[in-house]
Amino acid sequence: MARNTVHARLRRMAVEDALKPFSRRVDPAALGYGLVAFMSLTMSQAEPESVHEGLLALPEVVEVHYTTGDADLLAHVVAKDTTDLHRITKAILAIDGVDRTSTAISLAEVIPYRPRSLLHRLANG
């Protein structure tokens, strides 16, 4: 494939927000944050902005999704150890609008984030 074609496709994908930041490739464990947890958060529906701002202020909260079911949000959190996770949990509970959390600690990553499989499927039709 021609170099200009590749560059044009990459530019188009960047404009369409198809390309995520390179920081997604950084392994938090290499930075000393080897504990991975998933926190289900129940929040006050009247204060979603304060919850979003509070979660953004915590660098250990690396990803958050709205969800269906009993919880309102699912937060992907990294910590140094369980003591650090306890500190992060208390900080999340102190955010105005967060009513309750439930935490599941990851024991091991079975299948890592893998968009490459989707790209292969799309490329092969």
Side-chain angles (χ1 to χ4, degrees):
M1 186 176 292
R3 181 178 181 187
N4 288 340
T5 303
V6 171
H7 283 279
R9 287 185 184 179
L10 286 172
R11 278 193 301 276
R12 187 181 76 239
M13 290 175 77
V15 168
E16 295 171 355
D17 288 332
L19 297 177
K20 300 296 182 189
F22 286 107
S23 62
R24 185 156 185 117
R25 296 179 67 181
V26 174
D27 182 4
L31 304 175
Y33 292 85
L35 189 146
V36 174
F38 298 94
M39 298 180 78
S40 299
L41 282 67
T42 303
M43 65 179 202
S44 167
Q45 299 297 321
E47 303 180 61
E49 292 83 15
S50 65
V51 173
H52 299 165
E53 290 171 10
L55 292 172
L56 279 170
L58 298 170
E60 298 89 354
V61 177
V62 295
E63 186 175 21
V64 179
H65 295 265
Y66 274 113
T67 60
T68 60
D70 295 334
D72 299 304
L73 297 171
L74 180 65
H76 177 184
V77 176
V78 295
K80 295 176 181 178
D81 51 34
T82 55
T83 301
D84 193 36
L85 180 61
H86 187 239
R87 175 192 61 80
I88 297 163
T89 301
K90 290 191 316 186
I92 290 173
L93 285 167
I95 297 170
D96 286 338
V98 174
D99 296 331
R100 189 175 67 239
T101 66
S102 176
T103 304
I105 295 174
S106 172
L107 299 176
E109 182 179 66
V110 179
I111 300 174
Y113 180 72
R114 58 183 197 116
R116 179 175 287 177
S117 299
L118 291 173
L119 293 172
H120 284 293
R121 174 179 279 170
L122 293 171
N124 297 323

